Amino acid sequence: MTQTALPTKGRPTSGLGAPSGPRKRTFTVTRGLIVLAFMAPAVIFVAIFTYYPMISGSQMAFRKWNLADLTDTSWVGFDNFTAIFTDPTFFTVLGNTAIWVFASIIPQLLIGFALALWLRRRFRFRGVYQALIFFPWAISGFLIGIVFRWMFNGEFGVINDLLVKIGIVDTPVPWLAKPGTAMFAVVVANVWYGVTFFAIMILAALQSVPDELYEAAALDGASKPRVLFQITIPQIATTLALTVLLRVIWIFNFPDIIYAMTGGGPANQTHIVTTWMIETTQRGDYGHASATGLIVVAVLLVFSAFYLLALRERKEVRS
């Protein structure tokens, strides 16, 4: 008894009776206009609220643009940049920026890496510990700066209270009033804030390392330092590089904590490039502030180029 093959309902069949693949829709002018119509609101919104302010603000860097005298906004070329590079305060700010970035990134990497290794292990209430460790990343940087400003207060801050009770210091330390201790205080606040990001990224990378590698190392009797430097770090090296580069970009362009804790003081000793730019804007000198902003953009483009190169290398390795 023979059976008659029924055609697939709603699907075209080829000459052999098998369903054919989906047909590609031909591109027409009407279809293109529909796509453009749907994209137009987003494009217009981004152009008005992103690119127009960017271009308008950039041209201020080449003009004499001061709120104290808006009758003269003449074109001055690179005079604003010359004034910045000949200002001694600018090099102090650059040094502070370098300290701010590197003194923050190294402890964040080391502590975040240690936390990620610890959280990779299976233990009771691990999810609760993960939530507590990842919580700071959800808080505003400016709010964290306000909290740490009170903690490092020279008269009634909790830091001085603990140090006096433990016996490390005899009298309260004016943390935010002295140049050396002020930079230390803002770096501590930034380290506390950024450790979470490293822990999240590194933990995600560690979970992708095959367990077979650790089992083979255990059978060979490899020590923990050897496993760390010959298995763990090489397996997540690209992720570590990408995370460090991304965090450098963010810290360089992250004035929130400093602005909330010290406002750049005392005597410009905690000013970084972005907080200095904010202060220049508050003085009404938009020409110098815009020029400073373009310098920041140029530096960030360099770091972004390295980030994109590392990202492309990671994709090539995976492929």
Side-chain angles (χ1 to χ4, degrees):
M1 182 175 179
T2 60
Q3 294 181 348
T4 303
L6 297 175
T8 304
K9 184 179 181 181
R11 297 180 61 185
T13 58
S14 63
L16 298 176
S20 62
R23 292 181 299 176
K24 293 183 179 180
R25 294 183 177 181
T26 57
F27 182 82
T28 62
V29 176
T30 303
R31 191 176 301 279
L33 292 175
I34 293 174
V35 172
L36 290 176
F38 279 107
M39 292 177 59
V43 173
I44 294 172
F45 183 87
V46 172
I48 294 176
F49 293 100
T50 301
Y51 292 109
Y52 173 74
M54 185 185 301
I55 296 172
S56 179
S58 298
Q59 60 90 22
M60 290 182 183
F62 304 96
R63 292 182 178 274
K64 182 182 178 182
W65 202 289
N66 197 308
L67 291 182
D69 183 16
L70 291 178
T71 60
D72 183 12
T73 58
S74 57
W75 187 269
V76 295
F78 291 94
D79 288 354
N80 290 326
F81 294 92
T82 303
I84 291 173
F85 287 116
T86 55
D87 188 348
T89 305
F90 178 69
F91 295 98
T92 301
V93 169
L94 280 182
N96 294 339
T97 305
I99 295 173
W100 166 250
V101 172
F102 292 105
S104 298
I105 203 76
I106 295 174
Q108 287 180 9
L109 172 61
L110 296 178
I111 300 173
F113 191 87
L115 287 174
L117 289 175
W118 177 57
L119 291 174
R120 190 180 186 275
R121 302 166 53 192
R122 297 186 180 276
F123 56 90
R124 196 176 182 183
F125 301 119
R126 184 178 67 166
V128 176
Y129 286 108
Q130 287 181 348
L132 292 175
I133 291 174
F134 297 161
F135 174 72
W137 194 246
I139 305 176
S140 165
F142 189 81
L143 178 60
I144 290 173
I146 294 176
V147 171
F148 273 89
R149 184 180 67 186
W150 285 102
M151 291 176 63
F152 280 102
N153 187 279
E155 297 180 1
F156 43 80
V158 65
I159 302 295
N160 277 329
D161 184 57
L162 291 175
L163 294 178
V164 171
K165 288 181 178 179
I166 295 174
I168 297 179
V169 296
D170 298 326
T171 58
V173 179
W175 294 98
L176 303 180
K178 297 171 63 176
T181 55
M183 179 57 75
F184 173 79
V186 296
V187 167
V188 167
N190 194 33
V191 168
W192 182 86
Y193 178 66
V195 161
T196 295
F197 177 75
F198 276 98
I200 294 172
M201 299 297 292
I202 297 174
L203 179 60
L206 288 175
Q207 291 175 343
S208 65
V209 179
D211 292 332
E212 292 79 6
L213 296 177
Y214 294 108
E215 294 173 359
L219 292 176
D220 292 339
S223 61
K224 291 184 178 180
R226 185 178 177 184
V227 171
L228 176 64
F229 289 102
Q230 294 189 4
I231 295 179
T232 303
I233 293 179
Q235 288 290 321
I236 64 172
T238 306
T239 300
L240 289 176
L242 289 171
T243 305
V244 168
L245 283 172
L246 188 60
R247 192 71 185 121
V248 165
I249 294 172
W250 286 354
I251 293 176
F252 185 90
N253 193 34
F254 185 61
D256 304 38
I257 290 178
I258 292 179
Y259 193 76
M261 290 184 67
T262 65
N268 298 321
Q269 294 303 309
T270 58
H271 259 316
I272 60 174
V273 177
T274 47
T275 58
W276 193 52
M277 178 182 65
I278 294 173
E279 184 183 83
T280 306
T281 305
Q282 291 176 339
R283 293 200 306 264
D285 195 347
Y286 284 15
H288 283 74
S290 181
T292 306
L294 290 183
I295 294 172
V296 172
V297 170
V299 175
L300 293 179
L301 285 176
V302 173
F303 284 111
S304 299
F306 284 110
Y307 177 79
L308 293 175
L309 288 174
L311 188 62
R312 187 178 66 176
E313 181 182 351
R314 180 185 184 183
K315 291 181 179 179
E316 291 176 353
V317 170
R318 286 188 172 183
S319 59

